[in-house]
Amino acid sequence: MDLPEHLLIEILLRLTVKSLILLKCVCKSWCALIESPKFIAIHLSRAKNTKRLLLKNVPCDIDETPPTFLSIHSSLESIRNFPQPDLRHLPFLDHGYFADFVCHCNGLLYVNDVNEKYLFNPATRQVKLLPPPPCNSRREGFLCSEVYDGLGYDPNTNDYKVVILAEYASIMIKNHILFKADLYSLSTDSWREVDAKFPTLAHPRFCMLFDGRMHWSGFHRAARERAVLFSFNMSSEVVEEIGIPDALLVNELVPPRLDVLRESLTLISTWFSGPGEDRIDIWMMNEYGVKESWTKIFSVGPGLGNPFIKVVWNDELLIDSNFGQQLILCPLTAGHQVQKFDVFGGQETFLKIVIYKESLVSVKKTSDHPVCS
């Protein structure tokens, strides 16, 4: 092809990951270009408009119906008839009921499958089984009581890291707790222990990567009416507790969800005390790390029907209503209508949804990886 290289690059950068994978077979020079760190980095930086939803639907009656996986690009309109992605070759689907898509970073998903951990790129279908983490080794006389884990990117070392913060309670001594922090590095394909003391939470259910830090929310162990938020810095490997708004209402069954809205860290609390008494409040942190900068920007309800927030999708809340029987898309701007989608034919389900970018980032060692933003 008699095209200047810069024009060829500009054309290729506009293509999807699927198309680029096919074009790698055209010739060696194209393959080398598409696999180059610089090309992958630029393609990733333009991937803001190629976000997808990956849905995992596990029926409550797991003995009869296998999990369903749906991958959706930009619209929920045809969700009931959307074709399932071909994920049959993935090892963690052998235990598909238990495989948990924990979080995402630059197109990679971190998957926790019972005692096995994976990095998975849904766009390229690359999957990597991580070495067994040290926390899998049971400590004599202790039981693992809580685990906080997540995937992040360290721009200082151009490395992807998985962090596992594990809390162990003594079997013999009341209130005697050990803390253990393990960090996996993709560049070395190995784990190492780090010195990180972290708060003891009850039911830490949500994690979110933001501003180079992994964040977790949960309940205060001794006061379930109070939520707690803390972070782990992927570069400095330091834990910090972050103040939350005093006026935040907490449902003692579900801690506030973490998300990112309009490039700010966001807390989403669900309040449900009975039929017709459900409400969702959204708090945004305008200045990162400053407790006083939290502002409640949105409140919706009642009438959502046992709502569980799943994700913020295109500046809208995606809500699981009535145990997976319906998805509600709730706009956060005035004048837009709430949309409801019957997804799984009225069957009660456990629904997991994660957003990811389409990217060419590899799950191989990161020594030759691009510097990502």
Side-chain angles (χ1 to χ4, degrees), residues 160-228:
Y160 289 89
K161 298 177 178 179
V162 172
V163 59
I164 299 180
L165 308 178
E167 177 184 317
Y168 297 85
S170 172
I171 299 174
M172 306 297 295
I173 305 173
K174 187 177 180 180
N175 297 326
H176 181 44
I177 296 174
L178 294 180
F179 299 92
K180 193 174 188 323
D182 295 311
L183 198 70
Y184 169 82
S185 166
L186 185 57
S187 63
T188 62
D189 191 29
S190 62
W191 294 89
R192 58 184 172 86
E193 189 169 352
V194 296
D195 184 17
K197 181 70 181 294
F198 47 93
T200 57
L201 306 188
H203 300 294
R205 293 190 55 185
F206 302 115
C207 63
M208 175 58 60
L209 181 67
F210 176 74
D211 194 31
R213 300 170 176 87
M214 181 57 63
H215 300 77
W216 294 271
S217 65
F219 296 119
H220 190 277
R221 181 65 55 85
R224 290 289 294 268
E225 72 280 359
R226 185 164 72 86
V228 178

Side-chain angles (χ1 to χ4, degrees), residues 267-281:
L267 280 172
I268 306 173
S269 65
T270 304
W271 185 260
F272 178 78
S273 56
E277 298 180 7
D278 53 277
R279 196 179 88 196
I280 296 172
D281 293 333

